[in-house]
Amino acid sequence: MASLDDPGEVREGFLCPLCLKDLQSFYQLHSHYEEEHSGEDRDVKGQIKSAVRSHLSEFKKHRAARIDHYVVEVNKLIIRLEKLTAFDRTNTESAKIRAIEKSVVPWVNDQDVPFCPDCGNKFSIRNRRHHCRLCGSIMCKKCMELISLPLANKLTSASKESLSTHTSPSQSPNSVHGSRRGSISSMSSVSSVLDEKDDDRIRCCTHCKDTLLKREQQIDEKEHTPDIVKLYEKLRLCMEKVDQKAPEYIKMAASLNAGETTYSLEHASDLRVEVQKVYELIDALSKKILTLGLNQDPPPHPSNLRLQRMIRYSATLFVQEKLLGLMSLPTKEQFEELKKKRKEEMERKRAMERQAALESQRRLEERQSGLASRAANGDVASLRRGPAHLRKAEGWLPLSGGQGQSEDSDPLLQQIHNITSFIKQAKAAGRKDEVRTLQENLRQLQDEYDQQQTEKAIELSRRQAEEEDLQREQLQMLRERELEREREQFRVASLHTRTRSLDFREIGPFQLEPSREPRTHLAYALDLGSSSIQSSIAPKTPTPSSAQEPIRVWSGPSALGQELLTQSSMSQQNEGPSLNPFDEEDLSSPVEEGTASPPAAGASFGPSAHIPKEYNPFEEEDEEEAMAGNPFIHRDSPAPNPFNEEDEHLQQRHSSPLVPGNPFEEPTCTNPFEMDSDSGPEAEEPIEEELLLQQIDNIKAYIFDAKQCGRLDEVEVLTENLRELKHTLAKQKGGTD
Amino acid sequence: MNVVFAVKQYISKMIEDSGPGMKVLLMDKETTGIVSMVYTQSEILQKEVYLFERIDSQNREIMKHLKAICFLRPTKENVDYMIQELRRPKYSIYFIYFSNVISKSDVKSLAEADEQEVVAEVQEFYGDYIAVNPHLFSLNILGCCQGRNWDPAQLSRTTQGLTALLLSLKKCPMIRYQLSSEAAKRLAECVKQVITKEYELFEFRRTEVPPLLLILDRCDDAITPLLNQWTYQAMVHELLGINNNRIDLSRVPGISKDLREVVLSAENDEFYANNMYLNFAEIGSNIKNLMEDFQKKKPKEQQKLESIADMKNVKRLLQNPKVTEFDAARLVMLYALHYERHSSNSLPGLMMDLRNKGVSEKYRKLVSAVVEYGGKRVRGSDLFSPKDAVAITKQFLKGLKGVENVYTQHQPFLHETLDHLIKGKLKENLYPYLGPSSLRDRPQDIIVFVIGGATYEEALTVYNLNRTTPGVRIVLGGTTVHNTKSFLEEVLASGLHSRSKESSQVTSRGTQKLFVPT
């Protein structure tokens, strides 16, 4: 479920209001809602979906009118009751009491009431009239009620309390007293005189008694909270506590059982004890509720017992349900074991990653050494033929590389695969805990993998730019090296220039491969996966011309480069000394300083080892692919990438002012694919005749090759290049002459 | 359009409104059934409702520490009970909900009784029907009609139930009814009347296509309830009887005490939810035992009837001593319904056979009663298409062993009606609109109500239509949900059999004698 809290997310479409799924169309949304959510006991934003109608306001209106009347009645009775009990009844003679009673409320005339209004019996000598002392009405003895003095006191005292809080002038006893004074003179009832003395109780009719009893009940309720309520409140508090604590504990326990060390075992077990204590309390409380009043006489009403049973039952359900979800904690020893297991697993994971990284390194290395030996052997023939093949295959390499390696060298995929099999094993062995842990791991891995996949897409473009930068860097260095060599050893120079020109051609087309991007992604993805170190260091900004870039690329693998160096071929080691001038140059140019320093820190020949490593694997692949002779490459490769050319410009502009007379720049111009872009001032620089000639030779070979394969468009481009080269050569010759 | 959800929502809201604390749910006989269909005890216990009391129960204790939620039908008796209750309140506070429209004067009397100011809420929550399945509701009325006309009390109850349903689903529909049924027309008018009177209540946000209420009469399809229905739910109802999702197993010999009454609720029983609409045979292995039991129970039909292909063989079948009285009568009823007007009608002979077989008079009378109830004269449409007839009979005769027959089920007539309705092809001369306006577009939200009771097989039809027709949502309702037995009781209750003696059809010369056994 997507989170609504995310303010940044604005979605539109036919979204389900509950799960925010986009259902594309109204009907689909409708049916989705019906299917998925209609049964859910949950309203959208708390709104009830069905119609309702409230009568409460009307009800209250009618009630208010009634209540006013009722309250007045009750208060009147209580005020009279107070007067009736205000004197010492036990020590006052009956006649006097009667007189006082009559003064409180006028008695109804006996003659007016021939029948008892409540039971309908005729009054006679035997069935005598009685007067209610509270309202003055008449009833028979059977229908007469009595109010004991304690009850009267209870009612009046409670009223006094409430009066003290909200005083109301109309209820003041004095005013009422005054108004009733005249009633003393009313005729005394003959029948009443014959009554026994009422010194400890007050006669009244059922209606008045009823009203007063209701009042009493209200008073009782206000003051008294039954035991069951007290216990129940405690019980609910406990339940709330469990609802709050249990998820916390479950989270902890799950983490600990997975061997993680996010939470401490002690803390978790403390929490467990706490939760368990609450459970015990719930159990105890509900049990207490269940047995409430069982020993009383008379026993509680069946309804009460039922209520107690139900509370107990629901508490039991609660405990059962929640307690089952409360997983156990590992013991200390188990936890140690789990930790170890997890550590091992992590190590295994890491080892696998490392292995995968190593694997890819080794492969790179193999290819590199292969190339190095070839280069060292000075296998001119193969090299002459080589470039054509290499170049042809260029565009294919990432695809094949990606296909071939992604499966076994993406550590995440590998890990996922492994864990799946672990789960299988664990399941077979019946170790459920382990299965759970592994499944959790698997889930995390898969999440990570998904995340990585998305990151890759972002990373790819950056990587590409980096790669290109690196290649340019390599070019530059090769050029420099070559220059050194040429200065010192003219004779070997020709051999090296050949290799160098080979390199250029490899790199050239690669840079000019925009349309290959989707495929190269795979290769990059592989790269990212296999050497996470590298990717983690990888820059966030894909600015290709920035001088920092090489550093990033270098710094990562430098250590690996070192390792590899020990195995690298002699020819490369021989080149070691030739790098010295290069270092000097770095010092002179602050921009390039960064480029050189990391390898310098590692080993002075680091770069040389690294350069081939970076692109050699491609080469090897290329050769394989070249055998297949896919025509694709040739169609694409000549297409110039304007973006890359821009980069090239920048790079060159950058470096050229620093080393204005540097002959390194020349080979760039000789690269047939960069001819156009190199029409700048560098192109005017004198180019070594030797180089040019060689270049011409190469291009001729290309043309031949292209013709053989019938790729006419390529032939055209190449011919154009050749002509230009020849032109340059002629010009140079003219210049030097 | 989910009736279970609608009612459940009402109940949940009541409980929610009352806040925390111990609660008692105060109900009447009918609302008890309504609530029990959507909430289980354990579910409602979690919401602190610990006691369930009937408003008419006399020995309720005063428990001032409880809050009372009252869910009552707005009947005269209930209002009186409530007034009594408020005069002497037994609980601390009252939340009162009526399941339907309550009169202003009743509200006034209640208010005047609340001298202790214990009432905190008075509302109308229109959960006034039994939500059986998400798309099936019932009013649990058996015997809604006297002859062809409504029992007035039941008409009023049905109107209330139907309007409550509309309110709970927030639908203000256009109404169509089955022209051939006077009862359908009456009900349509009554519903319309309520909608007009309570127009404020029925003011809902207008939908593009207004909802449609289609009122049918059971007499339009008397066949469906006579057939064995092969879905799980229908089968359980047929064999054991479901009442408010409860199955009474107390008659089953040797049943353990806690299984006396079993609750079948799709809300809580996953197996039931998954299988209730499944064909009995499809459930197969899941309920192997139940199947075996069933076969033990009904071996008579299965074993011998498989060879029967033609209706003419009914006679032979009737002579089979293994066919029970009930099933034999059922067979003849189907025959009678089908060949009612056929020239070579041999019904008199069959009736004779029934008598010879010793089938009680009660059942024999029912044959003509059923024909009277659902015969051609009554039917608004032709129930049997020629090919249908034999298929139906076969279907009925063949047992579970003939798997293909179990799968090729009888399609209730309702299917065709609804299919036509959805496609906008339901004839207006047979099912006219009430009032001048009619629906121009195809209907989307449809409520079908069957006077005289729906069946679980029809519920299945509706369920399937809902699933397969995008944009169309149908809810089926009936005065009750029938199995064959209850349907026959319904027919019996309508009192039609007595009049059938005078009727000229079916009971021609030969059978006339049968009804006057001397």
Side-chain angles (χ1 to χ4, degrees):
Chain A
M1 241 168 77
S3 161
L4 262 178
D5 309 328
D6 184 4
E9 194 187 36
V10 176
R11 295 175 66 190
E12 50 183 44
F14 291 91
L15 302 182
C16 169
L18 293 183
C19 67
L20 300 183
K21 209 159 133 194
D22 192 348
L23 275 310
Q24 310 297 337
S25 80
F26 171 73
Y27 288 129
Q28 272 169 296
L29 173 59
H30 218 135
S31 58
H32 159 83
Y33 196 88
E34 286 276 308
E35 268 173 38
E36 304 281 323
H37 304 300
S38 61
E40 284 176 24
D41 184 15
R42 179 174 157 196
D43 320 323
V44 183
K45 301 272 172 210
Q47 284 291 308
I48 192 161
K49 270 170 38 178
S50 303
V52 296
R53 180 161 65 182
S54 176
H55 289 288
L56 190 61
S57 57
E58 207 191 351
F59 184 92
K60 277 184 173 163
K61 201 178 78 198
H62 290 300
R63 182 173 65 183
R66 183 77 187 182
I67 288 289
D68 286 349
H69 172 70
Y70 170 75
V71 168
V72 169
E73 286 295 309
V74 172
N75 284 337
K76 208 155 64 185
L77 290 184
I78 287 177
I79 289 158
R80 288 174 191 167
L81 195 62
E82 202 191 354
K83 279 187 235 167
L84 291 171
T85 54
F87 58 95
D88 185 4
R89 289 179 75 95
T90 39
N91 296 325
T92 313
E93 51 185 277
S94 303
K96 197 163 184 206
I97 291 175
R98 186 146 306 115
I100 296 170
E101 283 175 348
K102 277 186 166 181
S103 75
V104 171
V105 63
W107 287 13
V108 173
N109 278 334
D110 286 1
Q111 294 81 3
D112 294 348
V113 187
F115 305 98
C116 171
D118 288 327
C119 63
N121 283 339
K122 197 177 192 304
F123 290 120
S124 62
I125 298 295
R126 300 183 64 184
N127 187 22
R128 289 159 47 206
R129 294 176 174 86
H130 296 263
H131 278 95
C132 171
R133 307 303 196 252
L134 289 168
C135 66
S137 67
I138 293 172
M139 68 255 145
C140 67
K141 180 158 189 174
K142 235 176 16 194
C143 296
M144 187 184 72
E145 298 279 345
L146 293 164
I147 292 170
S148 65
L149 282 181
L151 174 62
N153 282 331
K154 185 179 169 187
L155 288 166
T156 51
S157 60
S159 286
K160 270 176 208 151
E161 269 170 39
S162 70
L163 273 174
S164 64
T165 45
H166 15 51
T167 31
S168 150
S170 68
Q171 287 165 0
S172 139
N174 285 334
S175 63
V176 179
H177 199 83
S179 68
R180 304 285 184 220
R181 189 146 294 181
S183 58
I184 301 171
S185 58
S186 63
M187 235 180 74
S188 63
S189 164
V190 181
S191 55
S192 294
V193 181
L194 300 170
D195 281 346
E196 63 270 39
K197 190 182 162 183
D198 288 329
D199 51 1
D200 56 349
R201 49 203 180 157
I202 295 157
R203 300 175 179 205
C204 73
C205 66
T206 42
H207 308 286
C208 291
K209 171 110 189 209
D210 216 32
T211 312
L212 289 177
L213 281 181
K214 274 188 201 170
R215 176 72 191 148
E216 191 206 5
Q217 212 172 39
Q218 277 177 320
I219 293 163
D220 283 353
E221 282 153 23
K222 235 174 254 172
E223 288 168 352
H224 175 65
T225 319
D227 288 344
I228 187 167
V229 175
K230 288 178 199 156
L231 289 171
Y232 182 76
E233 274 166 6
K234 274 189 209 156
L235 182 72
R236 291 302 294 184
L237 274 177
C238 289
M239 285 177 166
E240 270 168 40
K241 207 166 178 183
V242 166
D243 279 336
Q244 179 197 336
K245 296 269 180 186
E248 201 181 317
Y249 169 75
I250 286 166
K251 202 171 130 199
M252 279 183 158
S255 164
L256 288 169
N257 275 318
E260 287 175 6
T261 47
T262 325
Y263 305 99
S264 83
L265 189 60
E266 290 74 34
H267 188 187
S269 61
D270 284 354
L271 189 61
R272 184 185 172 80
V273 170
E274 198 185 331
V275 173
Q276 258 167 349
K277 274 199 180 133
V278 178
Y279 278 133
E280 276 159 28
L281 198 54
I282 289 176
D283 192 58
L285 281 169
S286 62
K287 223 178 244 167
K288 209 166 174 188
I289 289 175
L290 180 69
T291 53
L292 264 181
L294 277 187
N295 302 322
Q296 271 173 22
D297 195 44
H301 190 272
S303 293
N304 263 321
L305 291 179
R306 198 141 37 97
L307 174 72
Q308 290 166 346
R309 262 203 318 273
M310 288 310 243
I311 292 174
R312 165 71 179 163
Y313 175 58
S314 97
T316 319
L317 281 182
F318 179 85
V319 172
Q320 273 174 3
E321 186 194 325
K322 301 273 170 161
L323 204 57
L324 275 181
L326 220 59
M327 62 181 85
S328 61
L329 278 174
T331 61
K332 264 195 180 136
E333 295 79 49
Q334 281 172 330
F335 183 53
E336 288 308 315
E337 207 149 292
L338 279 168
K339 269 204 284 195
K340 226 165 74 190
K341 216 188 276 172
R342 185 178 161 83
K343 210 171 148 194
E344 275 167 18
E345 208 163 283
M346 294 300 282
E347 256 158 33
R348 203 159 46 202
K349 209 192 264 172
R350 248 176 262 136
M352 246 175 286
E353 274 168 25
R354 217 178 298 136
Q355 204 185 346
L358 275 174
E359 188 97 338
S360 55
Q361 296 286 357
R362 212 186 54 234
R363 238 173 266 140
L364 295 177
E365 188 191 313
E366 273 168 16
R367 282 164 211 155
Q368 171 217 321
S369 60
L371 178 88
S373 61
R374 227 180 11 244
N377 287 343
D379 189 351
V380 179
S382 75
L383 281 172
R384 265 182 189 273
R385 268 184 50 233
H389 287 294
L390 290 173
R391 198 181 52 79
K392 267 191 265 173
E394 201 73 63
W396 275 102
L397 136 128
L399 178 66
S400 65
Q403 280 173 338
Q405 297 183 333
S406 65
E407 254 172 42
D408 46 64
S409 56
D410 188 331
L412 276 179
L413 277 181
Q414 214 168 15
Q415 192 64 19
I416 288 170
H417 183 74
N418 286 342
I419 290 196
T420 320
S421 69
F422 292 162
I423 290 174
K424 248 180 242 162
Q425 286 168 21
K427 265 183 190 160
R431 283 171 298 192
K432 280 180 185 162
D433 282 4
E434 215 168 296
V435 171
R436 207 179 311 124
T437 321
L438 284 168
Q439 273 165 344
E440 178 59 20
N441 284 341
L442 183 60
R443 196 182 52 75
Q444 284 171 357
L445 269 178
Q446 275 162 343
D447 285 353
E448 205 175 315
Y449 183 67
D450 288 345
Q451 203 183 345
Q452 186 198 283
Q453 289 294 331
T454 49
E455 274 171 11
K456 266 178 200 167
I458 305 160
E459 195 105 2
L460 277 175
S461 49
R462 197 198 315 151
R463 294 288 304 170
Q464 189 136 23
E466 250 176 59
E467 209 73 30
E468 283 160 12
D469 269 27
L470 175 67
Q471 281 160 357
R472 267 193 298 279
E473 201 56 43
Q474 290 164 352
L475 271 182
Q476 193 121 1
M477 250 177 300
L478 273 171
R479 281 173 216 147
E480 284 163 6
R481 214 183 305 144
E482 218 110 35
L483 176 75
E484 279 310 300
R485 241 176 273 136
E486 265 167 16
R487 273 186 199 158
E488 287 167 22
Q489 282 183 298
F490 269 111
R491 261 174 289 172
V492 257
S494 70
L495 178 68
H496 279 283
T497 39
R498 255 179 224 138
T499 28
R500 184 205 53 193
S501 61
L502 153 84
D503 290 343
F504 284 154
R505 260 172 243 114
E506 285 166 32
I507 292 154
F510 188 69
Q511 287 174 313
L512 299 171
E513 282 283 359
S515 59
R516 287 275 162 223
E517 261 178 29
R519 280 185 208 164
T520 56
H521 285 181
L522 278 171
Y524 290 131
L526 153 72
D527 243 11
L528 283 172
S530 60
S531 53
S532 52
I533 323 152
Q534 207 171 328
S535 63
S536 64
I537 302 164
K540 295 279 182 252
T541 46
T543 40
S545 60
S546 117
Q548 285 178 316
E549 300 243 320
I551 305 177
R552 294 188 198 106
V553 181
W554 285 115
S555 58
S558 65
L560 294 166
Q562 259 178 299
E563 282 173 35
L564 290 166
L565 263 176
T566 54
Q567 299 156 7
S568 64
S569 67
M570 291 298 286
S571 69
Q572 278 169 324
Q573 295 210 351
N574 287 343
E575 282 170 18
S578 71
L579 278 170
N580 286 339
F582 171 71
D583 283 345
E584 275 164 23
E585 254 178 23
D586 287 339
L587 288 169
S588 65
S589 61
V591 181
E592 296 211 310
E593 198 168 48
T595 322
S597 55
S604 57
F605 40 74
S608 69
H610 186 73
I611 296 161
K613 197 198 69 153
E614 278 301 293
Y615 60 82
N616 275 354
F618 301 157
E619 232 173 356
E620 207 171 64
E621 294 281 331
D622 292 350
E623 267 165 7
E624 285 163 27
E625 280 300 323
M627 299 308 177
N630 199 305
F632 251 108
I633 312 109
H634 303 284
R635 203 179 56 215
D636 292 339
S637 50
N641 184 343
F643 180 76
N644 283 348
E645 274 171 11
E646 278 284 303
D647 293 347
E648 201 69 22
H649 275 297
L650 276 168
Q651 186 77 15
Q652 278 160 4
R653 266 180 231 128
H654 222 204
S655 49
S656 53
L658 297 168
V659 275
N662 197 335
F664 296 145
E665 299 304 324
E666 289 154 32
T668 334
C669 324
T670 62
N671 189 330
F673 301 102
E674 292 181 357
M675 272 306 211
D676 291 346
S677 63
D678 283 344
S679 53
E682 304 98 302
E684 255 89 71
E685 297 293 332
I687 299 165
E688 295 262 347
E689 238 179 89
E690 186 80 358
L691 271 174
L692 278 172
L693 281 172
Q694 233 167 353
Q695 217 35 56
I696 288 165
D697 271 358
N698 284 343
I699 289 195
K700 274 178 182 166
Y702 289 167
I703 293 173
F704 179 75
D705 199 59
K707 269 182 186 165
Q708 290 274 299
C709 300
R711 293 175 305 244
L712 292 175
D713 49 350
E714 205 178 319
V715 172
E716 231 171 80
V717 179
L718 286 168
T719 321
E720 175 66 23
N721 287 342
L722 183 64
R723 206 182 310 132
E724 274 190 46
L725 269 177
K726 278 179 177 167
H727 178 71
T728 322
L729 186 66
K731 226 166 85 179
Q732 213 173 41
K733 269 184 182 165
T736 44
D737 283 351
Chain B
M1 295 257 286
N2 179 336
V3 294
V4 172
F5 176 61
V7 176
K8 189 164 185 174
Q9 192 186 222
Y10 277 136
I11 312 296
S12 305
K13 183 92 171 94
M14 290 174 199
I15 300 171
E16 215 174 274
D17 282 353
S18 64
M22 290 180 272
K23 300 178 234 308
V24 56
L25 194 52
L26 212 52
M27 297 168 288
D28 61 41
K29 187 165 181 281
E30 275 194 74
T31 52
T32 307
I34 292 167
V35 173
S36 73
M37 289 300 277
V38 296
Y39 258 109
T40 59
Q41 196 187 44
S42 54
E43 208 177 347
I44 212 160
L45 275 179
Q46 283 180 1
K47 305 201 170 203
E48 296 185 87
V49 179
Y50 296 111
L51 285 183
F52 311 90
E53 299 275 15
R54 287 273 291 272
I55 185 83
D56 51 346
S57 137
Q58 291 308 311
N59 62 339
R60 275 183 290 115
E61 168 79 347
I62 292 176
M63 299 171 93
K64 290 287 189 174
H65 45 288
L66 290 186
K67 294 176 173 182
I69 300 166
C70 315
F71 183 43
L72 304 167
R73 298 206 65 250
T75 60
K76 180 87 193 72
E77 307 84 73
N78 282 340
V79 171
D80 286 346
Y81 279 127
M82 202 64 225
I83 286 171
Q84 296 295 317
E85 181 76 25
L86 293 180
R87 288 240 165 90
R88 278 185 173 276
K90 294 191 171 60
Y91 311 106
S92 63
I93 188 164
Y94 286 76
F95 297 83
I96 305 173
Y97 302 90
F98 287 103
S99 67
N100 219 314
V101 176
I102 183 164
S103 72
K104 288 225 179 337
S105 61
D106 282 343
V107 172
K108 188 166 181 256
S109 345
L110 283 171
E112 284 169 355
D114 184 24
E115 285 175 342
Q116 306 209 12
E117 291 183 278
V118 287
V119 175
E121 191 64 84
V122 184
Q123 288 211 62
E124 290 170 8
F125 273 19
Y126 307 98
D128 206 11
Y129 53 88
I130 306 279
V132 181
N133 294 342
H135 308 291
L136 176 66
F137 68 96
S138 161
L139 299 175
N140 280 6
I141 299 171
L142 199 60
C144 56
C145 289
Q146 288 299 317
R148 298 243 162 269
N149 293 309
W150 277 101
D151 173 333
Q154 304 300 11
L155 174 62
S156 135
R157 174 69 186 95
T158 307
T159 309
Q160 283 181 328
L162 211 42
T163 47
L165 176 101
L166 293 172
L167 286 167
S168 71
L169 296 177
K170 282 198 173 181
K171 304 287 172 205
C172 181
M174 306 189 85
I175 304 173
R176 293 182 78 168
Y177 61 95
Q178 182 188 320
L179 186 65
S180 60
S181 162
E182 185 58 34
K185 192 180 180 199
R186 275 291 289 143
L187 180 60
E189 283 165 354
C190 285
V191 170
K192 182 87 194 168
Q193 215 178 339
V194 173
I195 292 176
T196 315
K197 194 180 158 213
E198 303 286 345
Y199 65 96
E200 281 171 322
L201 270 179
F202 281 89
E203 248 175 31
F204 304 124
R205 198 164 50 87
R206 287 285 165 91
T207 46
E208 213 173 310
V209 183
L212 189 88
L213 170 64
L214 177 65
I215 299 175
L216 302 174
D217 194 320
R218 183 76 268 165
C219 68
D220 210 21
D221 174 14
I223 297 288
T224 304
L226 282 176
L227 294 171
N228 267 340
Q229 299 166 46
W230 296 110
T231 64
Y232 181 33
Q233 191 181 29
M235 191 65 90
V236 171
H237 189 39
E238 185 68 42
L239 297 177
L240 303 166
I242 304 174
N243 182 24
N244 287 358
N245 278 354
R246 268 158 226 277
I247 301 158
D248 183 14
L249 294 178
S250 54
R251 285 166 300 145
V252 179
I255 192 94
S256 68
K257 204 174 177 184
D258 48 335
L259 282 177
R260 285 269 164 75
E261 193 182 65
V262 174
V263 179
L264 271 188
S265 163
E267 290 283 300
N268 299 287
D269 179 345
E270 209 179 323
F271 174 82
Y272 186 54
N274 293 337
N275 294 308
M276 56 193 259
Y277 288 122
L278 280 190
N279 193 294
F280 210 75
E282 281 175 57
I283 305 168
S285 60
N286 292 354
I287 46 159
K288 199 160 163 265
N289 293 335
L290 201 53
M291 287 276 280
E292 279 162 5
D293 284 353
F294 172 70
Q295 276 177 329
K296 264 180 233 150
K297 255 189 141 179
K298 294 237 156 188
K300 314 116 199 172
E301 273 171 291
Q302 264 88 66
Q303 284 158 9
K304 290 280 172 184
L305 309 195
E306 262 169 288
S307 58
I308 314 295
D310 196 85
M311 203 65 198
K312 300 280 174 203
N313 288 329
V314 168
K315 204 174 173 116
R316 190 154 28 102
L317 188 61
L318 286 180
Q319 282 151 5
N320 187 324
K322 283 182 174 171
V323 174
T324 61
E325 188 182 58
F326 182 63
D327 288 325
R330 225 158 118 182
L331 268 177
V332 177
M333 283 171 205
L334 281 170
Y335 178 89
L337 280 172
H338 184 210
Y339 292 103
E340 190 186 331
R341 293 274 165 90
H342 202 275
S343 52
S344 60
N345 189 335
S346 62
L347 189 60
L350 288 176
M351 292 303 283
M352 192 73 84
D353 287 338
L354 275 188
R355 196 171 69 150
N356 293 342
K357 198 175 152 56
V359 173
S360 70
E361 193 196 342
K362 178 186 153 206
Y363 284 126
R364 278 181 284 131
K365 273 188 176 176
L366 267 171
V367 173
S368 53
V370 165
V371 173
E372 178 72 11
Y373 183 90
K376 222 170 236 164
R377 201 178 57 114
V378 189
R379 289 202 293 266
S381 42
D382 195 13
L383 195 54
F384 294 97
S385 62
K387 62 169 169 47
D388 231 29
V390 182
I392 288 171
T393 322
K394 269 191 194 167
Q395 165 65 40
F396 171 68
L397 296 175
K398 288 209 171 179
L400 280 171
K401 281 187 186 171
V403 177
E404 72 278 5
N405 281 308
V406 173
Y407 281 104
T408 56
Q409 279 195 52
H410 160 65
Q411 277 280 22
F413 184 64
L414 182 71
H415 182 268
E416 200 184 310
T417 312
L418 285 175
D419 193 53
H420 284 167
L421 183 66
I422 291 165
K423 289 178 177 147
K425 289 195 295 195
L426 193 66
K427 285 180 184 144
E428 278 195 44
N429 56 355
L430 293 177
Y431 301 93
Y433 284 93
L434 189 73
S437 52
S438 64
L439 206 60
R440 258 184 277 135
D441 305 276
R442 289 176 182 188
Q444 286 175 354
D445 292 345
I446 302 167
I447 295 143
V448 198
F449 189 80
V450 186
I451 300 166
T455 67
Y456 283 115
E457 198 180 2
E458 284 161 338
L460 168 71
T461 298
V462 167
Y463 171 78
N464 283 333
L465 277 171
N466 277 329
R467 260 194 340 178
T468 53
T469 335
V472 173
R473 304 181 302 169
I474 310 169
V475 167
L476 172 70
T479 43
T480 185
V481 180
H482 277 311
N483 57 17
T484 305
K485 211 176 210 159
S486 68
F487 171 66
L488 292 179
E489 275 165 32
E490 178 93 31
V491 171
L492 211 59
S494 71
L496 279 170
H497 61 284
S498 51
R499 302 192 331 169
S500 69
K501 280 185 212 165
E502 303 116 46
S503 157
S504 60
Q505 58 171 352
V506 185
T507 49
S508 51
R509 296 159 293 118
T511 43
Q512 192 77 51
K513 278 183 274 171
L514 279 174
F515 290 110
V516 202
T518 44

